[in-house]
Amino acid sequence: MIHTVRIDDTTRNGKKLVANLRRYRKGVEFENPALTGITPEGYMTADEFVKESTKDIIELCKKHGILQ
């Protein structure tokens, strides 16, 4: 059975857990989106973020009369 666990590695306990789990070569696998290139569900890539942000800024400026 495979379990998916989310560990906040910015906390003291999270750092301890990650350090302990990294000692095991078999049976433990870490998925790092930065290394795999697979964007998790609900996240967007940098390019998508720039496009969406630009669209939102233009819409906001038009709404307040800054842009025509």
Side-chain angles (χ1 to χ4, degrees), residues 6-22 30:
R6 297 178 191 270
I7 300 172
D8 182 2
D9 63 357
T10 61
T11 64
R12 185 173 151 231
N13 289 335
K15 288 178 186 177
K16 282 183 182 179
L17 281 169
V18 170
N20 287 335
L21 288 172
R22 286 198 188 277
F30 288 89

Side-chain angles (χ1 to χ4, degrees), residues 25-36:
R25 297 285 181 206
K26 293 183 180 177
V28 177
E29 179 182 334
F30 288 89
E31 293 180 6
N32 185 344
L35 299 177
T36 61

